[in-house]
Amino acid sequence: MRLLVVEDDRLLNNTLCYNLSVSGYAVDSAMTMAEAVRFFETQDYDLIVLDVNLPDGNGFDFCKQIKERRPDTAVIFLTANDMESDMLKGFELGADDYVTKPFPISVFRKKVSVLLGRIQKQTGGDRYTNGTLSINFSELTAELSGSPITFTPLEYRLLKVLVRNPKIVLTRQVLLEKLWDVDENFVDEHTLTVTISRIRSKIEVDGLQYIKTVYGMGYMWIGGLKK
């Protein structure tokens, strides 16, 4: 799993990066908001460790950008400020945890491990199953009620974004950005609409609904509810 550490205290940044690397994560380091934004625009992260006060910006503002563009990225705030109002603001922006400095590195490592473990459990790593629909994203195979079904590579990519963000409204813009592949093959609005429709035709049978259209906003994965 890939992590980004955004912290302007060089010693703490180095300490966090070292300990997270030792724990088996791929870690990038940024000491300013500008550096963090450059990393974020070119790389997907499972978790961003984010200092609230940065020399060229505010961690709260960056968290808002993160959650708007990549809502499945987890965020842990680091701060010297333990004010309740700041903590509440962080959680309201979608942060997963809030750690007040100073803190024991061993406890922080455990927090990261538990959070990422919970995320993997919720998403099934590279698998998804709800008892009726099963998808293996590594092997690009899927079954519905025990019978094989076929998805295109684009459909698998869209499904993976949806299932990693259950009960969260994903705007069309967010989905289009996620589906823009490494070769910069463009995915337009029409292609997105058609892909959603094709996925629905393959999995939404027997009165089950997996993808909810939130009119004027986007789509939400609801995981096989009765219509």
Side-chain angles (χ1 to χ4, degrees), residues 28 39 49 51 61 75 80 85 99 103-104 110 112 122 128-129 160 175-177 181 185-187 191 205 217:
D28 291 322
F39 276 117
V49 179
D51 189 12
D61 294 334
V75 173
S85 58
V99 179
F103 52 86
K110 179 57 70 174
V112 169
Q122 289 172 345
Y128 169 85
T129 182
K160 190 167 187 177
L175 290 172
L176 290 171
E177 289 177 0
D181 66 21
N185 292 320
F186 182 66
V187 178
T191 302
V205 298
M217 298 182 67

Side-chain angles (χ1 to χ4, degrees), residues 116-127:
L116 293 178
R118 185 168 71 244
I119 291 171
Q120 280 196 309
K121 184 176 180 180
Q122 289 172 345
T123 62
D126 269 352
R127 294 174 180 267

